[in-house]
Amino acid sequence: DGASVDNDRAEYRDSAVEVIYNLTNPVEDLLGVALYGEFAGGDELLKLEGKLILQKDIGPWTFAYNAIVESEWEGQDYQEDNGEFAQTFGISYNFSPELSAGFELLHEIEIEDWDESQDDVLYLGPNLAYRAKGWWATVTPLFLATDSDNEAKYQTRLIFGIFF
């Protein structure tokens, strides 16, 4: 429910392929470092995204930070070229090897035409993750914490992964 949406129902936007390469281990090393790349495509959307992922596991606690740069081409002819810088920070508690829950913060700055930055946007919310043999899933409902009439009031993300 916000000025950036045309209606109040769910809609399909895109599908993505993501690759993560771990440089160091968050349990064994001082800090876990990983590189992330994503390609997304959908109706009138192409997106490239890169992340630097920092993670530290201390006992049952996981602390994570992501620095994100994204470029999107939207519209019928993919003429709209916009960028975004975002940061996420999360803390989770592992109740068991299969189940964890925590809290996330998402900070976004849109850069229209890679020229002019827009207002900062901040989302906050809980997360819940489940891990099984060979796969995992995380759901995160995020709620808008800044005063912005141009952003959705909430968003829910579901991330599903397969171990190789």
Side-chain angles (χ1 to χ4, degrees):
D1 181 67
S4 65
V5 294
D6 295 329
N7 56 57
D8 289 337
R9 63 178 194 260
E11 65 182 53
Y12 170 80
R13 178 149 189 220
D14 61 66
S15 295
V17 175
E18 305 169 352
V19 177
I20 299 174
Y21 183 75
N22 294 317
L23 300 172
T24 59
N25 186 304
V27 175
E28 298 171 0
D29 298 317
L30 177 64
L31 184 66
V33 179
L35 301 175
Y36 168 103
E38 176 183 339
F39 171 77
D43 187 32
E44 301 182 18
L45 172 73
L46 291 175
K47 179 172 75 169
L48 293 174
E49 180 177 318
K51 292 183 188 179
L52 172 65
I53 301 171
L54 306 176
Q55 179 179 325
K56 182 61 187 170
D57 294 351
I58 302 172
W61 293 95
T62 298
F63 301 86
Y65 171 80
N66 297 326
I68 306 158
V69 176
E70 176 183 298
S71 189
E72 286 186 348
W73 296 268
E74 296 180 289
Q76 284 186 313
D77 296 326
Y78 304 103
Q79 294 297 318
E80 298 175 38
D81 181 14
N82 295 306
E84 179 178 273
F85 174 73
Q87 305 175 81
T88 64
F89 177 73
I91 299 173
S92 294
Y93 183 82
N94 295 292
F95 295 99
S96 70
E98 295 83 21
L99 185 66
S100 65
F103 184 78
E104 287 190 27
L105 175 140
L106 168 62
H107 174 237
E108 298 176 325
I109 302 171
E110 291 188 32
I111 306 166
E112 193 171 306
D113 295 322
W114 282 104
D115 185 42
E116 185 177 329
S117 64
Q118 305 300 309
D119 292 336
D120 293 21
V121 178
L122 187 67
Y123 285 92
L124 304 167
N127 65 46
L128 180 65
Y130 180 78
R131 294 170 291 281
K133 185 176 181 178
W135 65 275
W136 58 271
T138 301
V139 64
T140 308
L142 294 170
F143 303 91
L144 185 64
T146 51
D147 186 24
S148 177
D149 293 332
N150 297 326
E151 296 293 328
K153 303 288 186 225
Y154 61 91
Q155 56 178 286
T156 302
R157 294 187 292 171
L158 173 63
I159 303 171
F160 179 80
I162 299 172
F163 296 112
F164 288 92

